[in-house]
Amino acid sequence: MENGLISTIREAGRIILSAHDAEKSVEVKPGEANFVTYYDKAVQEFLFERLGALYPDFAFVGEEEGADDIARLTGGKAFVIDPIDGTTNFMRGFRHSSVSVALCEDGEVRLGAVLNPYTDELFYAEKDKGAVLIGRDSTRALHVSPRPLENGLVLFGTTPYYAETYDETFRILRKLFEASLDVRRIGSAALDLCMIADGRGEAFFEVCLSPWDYAAGNLIVSEAGGIVTRIDGTPVRLNEKGSILAASPDVLRQLRYLLDFQK
Ligand code: IPD
């Protein structure tokens, strides 16, 4: 395990926990309901600086800076970072947000780490080495749920920044709500993916996400035995925004049938 990276992410989480005036430091970004706080920027700067010292030959792509470099994520070494995934939750004191860090080489995620600072749960995976949950006092393996969709919880994101996607989101949601036990929208895509990796939910979808939302979480799901694709069944690439669908292999087959995917 990359212990320096793990302790750096935990320190970043402490910056989030130290915030008492998050709503006062909000700036509005382009798009619907798109916000950034002083803390998003502070956590990103902290991670760039500390990880830059630990991994000097890595570039940085982060939600609050360097976002225009997504297209270059097909080669070389880069960290893809969301300093606070779930900014709206953070601003509103909802206490469900995360720090998401992915270490990428040649267009592939080699290591993913997602921290929920409020529960002190660190979801962690290295390529081909499995996924684990590093808690306060112990570490255990992560595995996707064995439940079928009809007994499952479907987690989803609303893609709030792109109004043109709303109809598609709610069309899919209606279908999956009827086919499952129930649905949940909890506001951090990175943590949604970790919930699938830990079998707390059976499927996750969102119609458009950015690489910093899903890079780390996707590896954690795959290493926990799940599958992540675009909603049309095509592979997810790191260098472009797009939809995400994550589930166990069995549930993914059910989703393919329901959503009438191409193979
Ligand atoms: C957002 C969260 C949210 C999802 C949005 C993301 P941010 O990330 O992951 O759950 O629905 O599409 O952009 O903006 O809070 O880092």
Side-chain angles (χ1 to χ4, degrees):
M1 272 191 208
E2 298 285 317
N3 290 326
L5 184 142
I6 290 174
S7 58
T8 301
I9 295 172
R10 286 209 188 278
E11 265 191 73
R14 284 196 278 278
I15 302 177
I16 295 178
L17 293 181
S18 75
H20 296 297
D21 54 355
E23 207 158 15
K24 286 199 197 120
S25 69
V26 174
E27 286 168 31
V28 178
K29 296 201 288 186
E32 306 282 333
N34 198 2
F35 306 105
V36 60
T37 68
Y38 158 82
Y39 294 95
D40 293 76
K41 292 179 181 172
V43 172
Q44 180 156 302
E45 266 167 39
F46 171 81
L47 289 170
F48 278 22
E49 196 183 308
R50 293 291 285 272
L51 294 176
L54 286 170
Y55 302 85
D57 48 346
F58 276 69
F60 286 88
V61 175
E63 178 170 18
E64 311 309 340
E65 197 187 303
D68 297 340
D69 295 338
I70 295 180
R72 292 204 278 118
L73 282 173
T74 48
K77 298 178 175 185
F79 277 104
V80 180
I81 289 177
D82 195 341
I84 305 184
D85 183 57
T87 300
T88 306
N89 280 350
F90 171 68
M91 281 161 42
R92 301 293 298 268
F94 198 81
R95 298 178 68 78
H96 184 85
S97 306
S98 58
V99 181
S100 176
V101 173
L103 183 154
C104 311
E105 279 182 81
D106 298 326
E108 252 204 90
V109 184
R110 298 268 164 215
L111 181 159
V114 176
L115 172 72
N116 179 344
Y118 302 104
T119 57
D120 207 11
E121 292 176 303
L122 181 66
F123 300 86
Y124 180 91
E126 286 182 36
K127 179 96 182 127
D128 300 327
K129 291 191 182 166
V132 289
L133 172 55
I134 309 171
R136 280 195 183 105
D137 313 309
S138 58
T139 297
R140 65 170 169 80
L142 292 170
H143 299 291
V144 292
S145 165
R147 291 189 190 88
L149 186 61
E150 47 278 26
N151 295 332
L153 288 175
V154 174
L155 314 186
F156 73 105
T158 50
T159 309
Y161 316 139
Y162 304 108
E164 65 278 15
T165 62
Y166 297 171
D167 283 349
E168 189 184 354
T169 297
F170 286 94
R171 185 181 54 76
I172 295 172
L173 185 66
R174 172 75 200 223
K175 267 198 180 175
L176 299 193
F177 171 60
E178 286 179 4
S180 67
L181 192 61
D182 206 344
V183 297
R184 299 281 185 272
R185 195 295 192 250
I186 41 180
S188 163
L191 282 177
D192 287 330
L193 287 162
C194 294
M195 298 301 98
I196 302 304
D198 196 23
R200 300 183 210 179
E202 278 61 37
F204 166 70
F205 81 91
E206 185 154 353
V207 165
C208 186
L209 284 169
S210 299
W212 45 83
D213 299 313
Y214 60 72
N218 281 9
L219 180 68
I220 295 167
V221 170
S222 325
E223 289 296 321
I227 299 181
V228 186
T229 66
R230 298 292 189 203
I231 289 177
D232 66 2
T234 56
V236 178
R237 278 196 295 266
L238 205 52
N239 61 333
E240 57 194 16
K241 296 185 179 197
S243 63
I244 290 290
L245 184 71
S248 68
D250 287 345
V251 169
L252 201 78
R253 258 190 296 279
Q254 293 185 279
L255 294 171
R256 280 216 160 99
Y257 176 75
L258 267 171
L259 300 175
D260 200 22
F261 288 166
Q262 306 155 6
K263 281 258 155 77

